[in-house]
C-alpha cells in the first residue's frame, strides 16, 4: 500500500469512519518513528501542532478511540503519540493513579536528557503546570525528594567518566549501607539523591562496577528493602533487567488492572529502543520467550499488535 493510502486509511479509522483493526496493526506496527511523525503532521484534524514543537493528540479523538478499540486503543494511541506527549501523559496518569512511583522513576531514568526535557515541556503544554510541582504537591512520602530530583535532571551524556570519583562514591555508598543507614531511610540521604539524580549514566555504571568489587554484591541487590532506590539503580544501570521484571509481573493471571497495563506501556515505549535486549533478558530470567507468553495471556487484535511491535527488534 502506498504511503498516502496508508495515511488515508488510518485517518479514516481514527475519525470514526470504520475501523479495520487488522489493517491498523499491519500499518502502524511496521511504521518507523519518521513515518509516525509524518502521519501526525499530515492529519491536522486529529493532531494539533503544539507551540513547544511537537504534535499532540486531540483530546476528542483519544476519548473516541477508547470506545472504538477498548484495550487495543491504549496500545494504538501510545504507539502513535509523539514520544514527548506519550511520556507526559504516562507521568500524569502514574501520579494520579496510585501514585505509581515506578513509572515516574522509569521515565526519569531510562530516557535521554533531551527526551526527558521534551516530556517536561509537553507536560507544561498539556496540563499548564510542571511535573516537578505536581510531584512536590501530591507526594508526601520520603520518596518526594528523590522523585523531584530525578525528574528535574539533565544528565551529561558524553563519554568521559571520572573513575576515581566513581570509586570514591561507590565506597561512600558502601559505608552507608554497611553502617545500617539503609534501614534509617537512605532514600532521603542527600548524597545518594545527588549521585543518582545528577551523575551521568556511564558514571553511575562505573559506581555499580566498583561497588561490586568492594562489596561482592551488585548495588541494586543491597537495596532490596528499598524498592524505589533499587528501581532507580536498575533503570539507570540495567534497564533490560528492570523491564523484564515489569513484564514478568504484568503477564500473569489474576493481576490487577494497573499492573496489567504495564505490558502496553513497556512494549509501546521500548519497541524502537531496546526490545531485543529486553526479550533476551526475559527469556533468560523467566524460561519462556516473551512472544510465547503474550500469546498465552493476551487475546485477539490486541495480542497481534503487541506481537507485531516486539518483532521489530528481531
Amino acid at each position: 500500500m502506498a504511503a498516502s493510502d496508508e495515511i488515508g486509511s488510518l485517518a479514516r479509522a481514527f475519525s470514526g469512519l470504520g475501523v479495520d483493526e487488522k489493517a491498523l496493526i499491519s500499518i502502524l506496527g511496521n511504521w518507523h518513528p519518521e513515518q509516525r511523525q509524518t502521519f501526525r503532521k499530515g492529519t491536522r484534524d486529529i493532531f494539533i501542532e503544539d507551540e513547544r514543537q511537537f504534535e499532540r493528540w486531540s483530546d476528542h479523538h483519544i476519548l473516541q478511540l477508547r470506545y472504538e478499540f477498548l484495550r487495543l486503543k491504549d496500545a494504538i494511541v501510545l504507539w502513535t503519540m509523539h514520544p514527548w506527549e506519550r511520556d507526559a501523559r504516562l507521568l500524569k496518569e502514574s501520579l494520579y493513579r496510585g501514585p505509581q512511583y515506578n513509572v515516574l522513576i522509569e521515565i526519569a531514568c531510562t530516557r535521554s536528557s533531551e527526551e526527558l526535557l521534551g516530556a517536561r515541556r509537553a507536560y507544561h503544554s498539556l496540563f499548564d503546570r510542571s511535573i516537578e510541582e505536581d510531584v512536590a504537591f501530591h507526594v508526601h512520602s520520603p520518596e518526594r525528594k528523590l522523585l523531584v530530583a530525578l525528574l528535574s535532571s539533565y544528565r551529561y551524556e558524553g563519554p568521559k567518566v571520572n573513575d576515581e570519583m566513581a570509586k570514591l562514591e561507590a565506597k561512600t555508598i558502601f559505608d552507608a549501607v554497611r553502617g545500617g543507614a539503609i534501614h534509617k531511610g537512605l532514600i532521603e540521604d542527600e548524597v545518594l539523591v545527588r549521585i543518582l539524580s545528577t551523575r551521568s549514566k556511564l558514571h553511575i555504571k562505573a559506581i555499580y562496577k566498583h561497588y561490586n568489587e568492594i562489596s561482592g554484591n551488585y548495588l541494586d541487590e543491597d537495596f532490596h528493602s528499598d524498592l524505589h532506590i533499587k528501581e532507580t539503580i536498575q533503570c539507570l544501570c540495567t534497564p533490560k533487567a528492570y523491564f523484564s521484571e515489569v513484564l514478568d509481573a504484568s503477564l500473569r493471571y489474576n493481576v490487577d488492572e494497573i499492573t496489567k497495563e504495564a505490558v502496553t506501556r513497556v512494549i509501546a515505549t521500548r519497541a524502537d529502543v531496546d526490545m531485543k535486549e529486553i526479550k533476551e533478558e526475559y527469556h533468560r530470567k523467566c524460561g519462556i520467550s516473551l512472544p510465547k507468553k503474550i500469546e498465552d495471556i493476551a487475546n485477539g487484535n490486541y495480542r497481534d499488535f503487541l506481537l507485531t511491535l516486539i518483532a521489530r527488534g528481531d
Side-chain angles (χ1 to χ4, degrees):
M1 186 183 293
S4 59
D5 292 338
E6 291 181 341
I7 290 174
S9 297
L10 291 180
R12 286 191 297 274
F14 289 152
S15 298
L17 301 176
V19 176
D20 183 346
E21 292 187 355
K22 293 189 180 300
L24 284 176
I25 291 168
S26 175
I27 296 170
L28 280 177
N30 291 289
W31 267 4
H32 296 295
E34 296 79 10
Q35 292 170 296
R36 299 199 298 275
Q37 183 180 46
T38 298
F39 171 65
R40 291 192 299 268
K41 287 184 175 295
T43 49
R44 289 305 184 201
D45 55 332
I46 299 175
F47 294 91
I48 301 165
E49 182 68 32
D50 190 87
E51 61 182 5
R52 292 183 172 86
Q53 300 182 326
F54 71 98
E55 315 83 35
R56 61 186 177 94
W57 270 96
S58 158
D59 289 336
H60 166 74
H61 281 93
I62 288 181
L63 291 174
Q64 176 181 311
L65 289 173
R66 186 179 302 275
Y67 296 104
E68 291 282 357
F69 299 131
L70 299 178
R71 185 174 294 280
L72 179 61
K73 166 263 173 186
D74 290 327
I76 292 284
V77 170
L78 283 178
W79 180 244
T80 313
M81 272 182 185
H82 191 291
W84 295 0
E85 178 184 9
R86 182 171 61 203
D87 282 345
R89 291 189 182 277
L90 288 170
L91 287 168
K92 173 77 177 310
E93 184 174 286
S94 67
L95 187 58
Y96 282 78
R97 294 178 67 193
Q100 298 169 265
Y101 295 151
N102 68 304
V103 180
L104 299 173
I105 292 168
E106 174 185 313
I107 293 173
C109 296
T110 63
R111 282 23 170 197
S112 71
S113 295
E114 282 296 320
E115 289 168 344
L116 180 57
L117 180 60
R120 286 157 56 193
R121 287 174 173 163
Y123 200 97
H124 292 183
S125 289
L126 294 167
F127 309 119
D128 298 317
R129 54 190 180 275
S130 73
I131 179 59
E132 297 94 331
E133 68 178 295
D134 267 0
V135 170
F137 181 77
H138 289 284
V139 177
H140 304 289
S141 62
E143 288 82 4
R144 176 166 57 186
K145 180 185 294 185
L146 176 66
L147 293 173
V148 171
L150 292 174
L151 289 162
S152 304
S153 180
Y154 190 89
R155 301 176 192 274
Y156 166 70
E157 294 183 332
K160 294 183 178 180
V161 172
N162 185 331
D163 198 60
E164 287 303 313
M165 180 61 69
K167 188 179 298 184
L168 178 63
E169 289 176 338
K171 182 65 164 57
T172 299
I173 295 172
F174 172 71
D175 289 342
V177 173
R178 186 178 59 178
I182 190 170
H183 301 298
K184 301 174 185 176
L186 266 180
I187 200 164
E188 294 183 277
D189 182 85
E190 290 189 7
V191 173
L192 181 62
V193 170
R194 174 183 59 78
I195 291 170
L196 293 178
S197 63
T198 65
R199 293 301 191 190
S200 73
K201 292 180 182 179
L202 285 179
H203 185 99
I204 294 175
K205 287 177 181 178
I207 292 174
Y208 192 88
K209 176 177 73 75
H210 289 306
Y211 188 93
N212 178 249
E213 293 168 352
I214 293 168
S215 72
N217 297 325
Y218 290 109
L219 183 56
D220 51 325
E221 292 176 342
D222 279 351
F223 284 92
H224 59 85
S225 63
D226 197 323
L227 178 61
H228 301 307
I229 294 181
K230 177 182 179 181
E231 289 170 339
T232 300
I233 295 166
Q234 285 186 327
C235 285
L236 291 168
C237 298
T238 57
K240 64 180 182 181
Y242 166 81
F243 285 117
S244 68
E245 288 181 11
V246 173
L247 288 170
D248 182 39
S250 59
L251 288 169
R252 296 173 182 265
Y253 295 103
N254 300 321
V255 297
D256 63 84
E257 193 65 23
I258 290 178
T259 302
K260 191 182 300 183
E261 289 171 358
V263 177
T264 300
R265 183 186 78 246
V266 171
I267 292 177
T269 59
R270 309 310 295 182
D272 281 332
V273 183
D274 52 1
M275 184 52 65
K276 182 178 180 180
E277 292 82 359
I278 292 169
K279 286 192 293 185
E280 290 171 352
E281 179 68 11
Y282 183 90
H283 197 177
R284 185 191 68 80
K285 183 172 292 185
C286 302
I288 185 174
S289 73
L290 182 57
K292 180 64 170 64
K293 188 66 175 180
I294 289 173
E295 288 175 356
D296 292 344
I297 296 293
N299 298 298
N301 290 322
Y302 172 66
R303 174 200 61 211
D304 295 341
F305 190 57
L306 294 182
L307 292 173
T308 300
L309 294 186
I310 65 173
R312 293 169 65 84
D314 294 340

